[in-house]
Amino acid sequence: MYPPENLLLIAGSGKYPLLVVHSARAAGVRRIILVAFEGETSPELSRWVDEIYTVRVGRLSHLLSVARKSGACYAMAVGQIAPKNLFDLHLDMRALLLLARLRKRNAETLFGAVADELSHIGVELLPATTFLNNYLADEGLLAGPKIKLPVMEDLRFGYQIAKEISRLDIGQTVVVRKGTVLAVEAFEGTNASILRGGKLGIENATIVKVAKPNQDMRFDVPAIGLTTLECASSVRIRSIGIEAHCTLLLEKDRLIEYADLHSLSIYGLKAS
């Protein structure tokens, strides 16, 4: 299987899909078929793929039709869908029937059900970290100044809180300072919660982002990129903790360069 000759890439927004395209090519994938979502997927991707199909979010029958037509046996789902657009879905009958079968409706159950639909037509959804091992965070200090003891205590505290809110399927990011929770990520997304928490902390707050317990690595994998660091710097946050071995560092070299330049510490955490 590895590397697959053909890869169906179901891509949302952000830099993540482009990173996957380049990494898949480097691994030896010959043909990449892009499923782009209207108003979400970056047009830049068109330069690097072999075929493009545009679908609307919620049109499951169209997505499955494209998957069959592609001839690919393997797929990846990467990138994000803007939360505001999830309130304006125009679901087709296939998607409505899928939702009706779900006892619990969240990102994990929804994407899991879509993965099952793909499997039924012979397309396996690969982990969203496939081809990206070099971009997964290690343990310890990854960039920026050495972590001081009070900040390390906040990182450990934030890790526990973030793990709990992710278990409850609220979000995967918290902002803390001196043992106090300033912001919890919810529907607004990571960057909005960082801005909110950073303003409440005035300065020197700490961000912690984790994976969900029993994270399904086929989708919704935690990641940080340059935009995350820019948001943190704009509200004078000076430390970011991420869960080691399961958080992706998008634009890794630029990320480390930015963190070093702006004295922003990035630290890989693990369960104690």
Side-chain angles (χ1 to χ4, degrees):
M1 181 281 285
Y2 191 86
E5 184 170 338
N6 303 316
L7 178 68
L8 182 71
L9 186 67
I10 304 168
S13 63
K15 298 289 185 180
Y16 191 176
L18 187 60
L19 176 62
V20 171
V21 168
H22 291 321
S23 298
R25 293 291 194 199
V29 176
R30 294 185 179 181
R31 178 169 164 262
I32 298 177
I33 307 97
L34 176 67
V35 177
F37 291 110
E38 290 183 10
E40 296 284 353
T41 309
S42 171
E44 183 183 1
L45 280 171
S46 62
R47 297 174 50 204
W48 306 102
V49 300
D50 301 287
E51 297 175 38
I52 302 175
Y53 297 90
T54 302
V55 302
R56 294 185 66 179
V57 178
R59 302 294 184 176
L60 181 57
S61 291
H62 190 187
L63 172 62
L64 295 174
S65 174
V66 168
R68 286 194 194 94
K69 192 184 302 183
S70 73
C73 295
Y74 299 95
M76 290 178 67
V78 296
Q80 297 178 319
I81 303 298
K84 62 183 178 63
N85 291 338
L86 297 177
F87 280 125
D88 191 31
L89 291 180
H90 299 280
L91 302 179
D92 62 12
M93 185 56 67
R94 188 75 174 262
L96 287 169
L97 291 172
L98 181 147
L99 281 175
R101 295 197 303 268
L102 297 179
R103 296 179 62 184
K104 185 178 180 182
R105 299 179 184 181
N106 55 35
E108 190 166 358
T109 58
L110 178 59
F111 284 113
V114 172
D116 290 342
E117 293 287 326
L118 287 168
S119 178
H120 292 156
I121 61 171
V123 180
E124 179 184 346
L125 192 63
L126 299 174
T129 55
T130 305
F131 315 117
L132 301 177
N133 285 341
N134 290 339
Y135 294 89
L136 287 171
D138 292 323
E139 297 172 21
L141 186 66
L142 304 173
K146 184 179 178 180
I147 301 287
K148 296 180 180 179
L149 181 58
V151 175
M152 184 58 70
E153 291 175 351
D154 268 350
L155 286 170
R156 294 187 182 120
F157 169 70
Y159 183 88
Q160 294 175 338
I161 300 298
K163 274 297 187 183
E164 188 64 17
I165 67 158
S166 65
R167 183 186 68 80
L168 295 170
D169 201 35
I170 296 170
Q172 293 170 251
T173 304
V174 296
V175 183
V176 301
R177 186 184 181 208
K178 295 183 178 180
T180 299
V181 177
L182 303 176
V184 171
E185 177 192 14
F187 191 71
E188 81 274 38
T190 301
N191 293 334
S193 64
I194 288 172
L195 293 174
R196 179 162 49 86
K199 290 174 183 175
L200 289 171
I202 303 176
E203 62 180 9
N204 297 329
T206 296
I207 303 164
V208 179
K209 186 179 184 75
V210 302
K212 296 177 182 178
N214 303 313
Q215 176 87 45
D216 189 330
M217 297 302 283
R218 294 177 299 174
F219 39 75
D220 202 22
V221 174
I224 64 167
L226 203 55
T227 303
T228 307
L229 269 60
E230 290 169 345
C231 284
S233 290
S234 73
V235 287
R236 294 183 287 181
I237 286 172
R238 289 290 173 261
S239 54
I240 300 176
I242 53 179
E243 187 162 1
H245 309 305
C246 56
T247 304
L248 285 166
L249 303 173
L250 306 179
E251 301 178 278
K252 185 176 179 180
D253 292 340
R254 293 183 65 194
L255 209 66
I256 293 172
E257 180 183 1
Y258 184 96
D260 289 339
L261 183 63
H262 292 81
S263 298
L264 180 58
S265 300
I266 305 176
Y267 195 91
L269 296 159
K270 66 172 183 177
S272 55

